[in-house]
Amino acid sequence: MLKVLASIPFVLLGVVMVGSGWSMLDEASDLSGHGRSTTGVVVSREWVTSGMGSTPKIDVSFVAFDGTRHVVRHTGDERVGARIKVLYDPANPDKSSVEPVASQRGLGVFLIVCGVIFTVGTPCLFGWGAMAEARIRGSGGTPR
């Protein structure tokens, strides 16, 4: 039973992954459905360090259809001054993407699949291991 309880952090991670993936799919659908495209300019670039290493981040400035200027941060490695395509939501221009919607969808699906594997597979694997260990003990063998 203790081994099954040990799978709880993995299950929670899986749930977060599924939620993040679903959110990415939803945002990609919104942008592809009614998003507007414009050209933005990279105004700054830096490497952001987190627990899993460094990621290049860029700030992109663009002008929305209503004439308002927006600066949004995205993952990317373009140089300062580079002109890049920005797809944004006209109702909320800060909701935008500098990568193709298809790649956002692909990453969303990947996160959902991995999340389901963590959520369902990990408890099954831990449970199967616990049952196998109990069977070995019951037959007079010694588990490793």
Side-chain angles (χ1 to χ4, degrees):
M1 183 63 172
L2 190 58
K3 289 190 179 199
V4 175
L5 291 176
S7 70
I8 289 175
F10 296 100
V11 171
L12 295 175
L13 176 63
V15 169
V16 168
M17 290 173 78
V18 168
S20 296
W22 196 263
S23 176
M24 288 181 87
L25 284 177
D26 189 41
E27 186 174 316
S29 292
D30 283 350
L31 287 176
S32 68
H34 64 276
R36 292 214 179 175
S37 181
T38 190
T39 301
V41 177
V42 178
V43 293
S44 72
R45 175 182 154 202
E46 68 176 324
W47 286 86
V48 176
T49 303
S50 66
M52 297 186 63
S54 295
T55 306
K57 296 287 186 176
I58 55 174
D59 290 326
V60 180
S61 175
F62 68 93
V63 178
F65 78 99
D66 62 359
T68 58
R69 180 168 298 280
H70 299 269
V71 177
V72 291
R73 177 163 277 207
H74 290 285
T75 300
D77 200 18
E78 290 79 7
R79 62 177 173 69
V80 173
R83 300 176 73 74
I84 58 175
K85 180 181 173 185
V86 178
L87 186 63
Y88 69 94
D89 182 346
N92 180 9
D94 292 328
K95 188 176 183 182
S96 62
S97 176
V98 296
E99 58 190 34
V101 173
S103 66
Q104 269 187 297
R105 283 190 176 127
L107 182 57
V109 169
F110 176 77
L111 283 173
I112 290 170
V113 168
C114 289
V116 168
I117 290 169
F118 271 83
T119 303
V120 177
T122 305
C124 290
L125 191 61
F126 274 81
W128 177 76
M131 288 188 328
E133 189 175 306
R135 237 181 280 126
I136 290 170
R137 281 196 178 125
S139 66
T142 310
R144 294 192 237 186

